[in-house]
Amino acid sequence: MAVEKEQKSITWHWLRTLLKIVEEYKSIKQIIEKVKESLIEYTQIDNIEIHLIDDLSSRDNAEKGIDELANSDFFSRKVIENIFLHKEPSHISKNEIIFPLENSERILGLVYIKTPSQIDSVSFELLWSFMDQLAALIHNIILPQNKNPESKIQIKDISNSIFNNLKSFLEASLERLGALEEQNQKLVELNRTRTELINNVSHELRTPLVSIMGFSNILQRHEIKPDLIREASEQIQSAGGRLSRMIDDLLQLNRASTKGWVVNVERLDLGEIAKYVVESLSPLHKNYNFTFNYPERGYPLIGGDRKLIRQVIENLIINAIKYSPEGGEINCTIKDNTNEKKLSMFITDNGIGMTPAENQKIFERFYRAKNPKTENISGLGLGLTICKDVVEALNGEISSTSDFGQGSCFIISFNY
Ligand code: ADP
């Protein structure tokens, strides 16, 4: 036999060589003798007994097999029954194991092995696989109909099966590594976005603050013309307004994401609210033209929260002003879809507009279109996120259409 003497630890290579040798044997007795002799001589195993069931040709051999093996007085009946039931090796002491010789769910016999010290888990697994291959070999000799080359156990098959197992294990590990790498990338990305956001928010908050500080410096001078006082205080007021709206947006979104929106539903006149909002924002839009395309009370009331709906319309109107040059036309239209029982408000401007790609993203948190036309317009990119959140909390819908350089239209709809 082409194995090195003095080899004491069990390796798959060694067991495979042994299998290759006994595969050539024609008699089971010869196989068993060779296996016993080699294991004792070349491994740490110092005792091995192999007991095969006599009538192996019968399929229904379990009970007969248990009786027979129990009568051999070598294994206790309880241990044998357990092995037949679970088809797994049984440790009968720290250094004694009984392996089943199992093939196609049938136990052909048992192998008792004794080692000087406790057997390690790798040797245990290797021996278990070896016993399975040995059982397949014995099975092929016992049943002549299985002796065709296809069903005969081949070393190549064993290697293939080991290779396939290893391959799937490696593939699964690689997949897991890939997933971890992806998660890692997402975290890195998230961290970068967070830093970017903090920078943007700080920058946007600082812009009106600088304006407030600059104009208050002017007001502190001794000799100052009344016109300049008015101009400075208007600028301070407008910058203060922007600052407070941004802080409100931040706080509101934070509150809503933890507690949700507090909604008090009542019957509301959408048109009346829009007129009220435009009126209250009049200092902001002295140089813009507003038109309202709806009759007074000629449309149904909707169910909603007054404060929240007012805020949505205010956001949309402020945007229409912000993103239109002075002299711009802003229009509010109400359409009643009586078939669907849906009331919609359209807020249209003829301002800078958006590209289709920008228009798709504007409801995302912190998104702001970046182009030469928006670079001097301040904001946090939260207003529309809040609008969408609120409108959806009230079971409504919000959408927008836009033409770059031509203007935009924002639509809010509610069922009545
Ligand atoms: P902010 O105005 O603070 O940036 P919003 O969430 O209100 O935040 O708007 C998000 C983005 O949508 C804006 O930065 C702007 O690019 C675009 N936008 C919103 N309203 C209009 C509008 N009426 N016309 C053109 N662009 C708009």
Side-chain angles (χ1 to χ4, degrees), residues 115-158:
T115 45
S117 54
Q118 189 167 3
I119 198 155
D120 63 274
S121 58
V122 176
S123 305
F124 170 79
E125 291 294 339
L126 289 177
L127 279 170
W128 192 359
S129 307
F130 173 81
M131 297 308 166
D132 284 348
Q133 309 308 336
L134 188 63
L137 211 59
I138 294 170
H139 183 253
N140 282 326
I141 293 178
I142 297 157
L143 299 175
Q145 67 269 30
N146 284 344
K147 269 194 168 170
N148 62 59
E150 262 173 10
S151 66
K152 194 175 178 193
I153 187 84
Q154 294 289 323
I155 296 304
K156 207 170 93 226
D157 293 343
I158 303 167

Side-chain angles (χ1 to χ4, degrees), residues 69-89:
L69 290 165
N71 288 338
S72 74
D73 279 346
F74 200 80
F75 309 113
S76 89
R77 185 173 194 97
K78 204 157 169 254
V79 172
I80 299 169
E81 279 175 349
N82 227 7
I83 297 176
F84 269 74
L85 184 68
H86 300 292
K87 307 213 165 41
E88 279 179 5

Side-chain angles (χ1 to χ4, degrees), residues 315-316 319-320 322-323 349 352-354 362 367-369 374 378-385 402 408 410:
N315 261 326
L316 298 180
N319 276 354
K322 249 167 75 173
Y323 297 103
D349 63 64
I352 62 170
M354 290 172 274
I362 51 175
Y367 176 79
R368 308 203 67 220
T374 58
S378 66
L380 292 179
L382 285 181
L384 290 178
T385 312
S402 192
S408 311
F410 285 81

Side-chain angles (χ1 to χ4, degrees), residues 25-58:
Y25 293 6
K26 300 283 176 287
S27 98
I28 295 175
K29 199 162 166 264
Q30 250 184 320
I31 294 177
I32 287 177
E33 282 314 309
K34 186 72 192 173
V35 167
K36 277 165 73 171
E37 176 199 305
S38 305
L39 283 173
I40 300 256
E41 193 170 350
Y42 298 103
T43 73
Q44 69 265 49
I45 293 167
D46 50 28
N47 192 4
I48 170 165
E49 296 290 336
I50 302 181
H51 288 257
L52 289 184
I53 294 166
D54 273 348
D55 186 11
L56 286 172
S57 54
S58 143

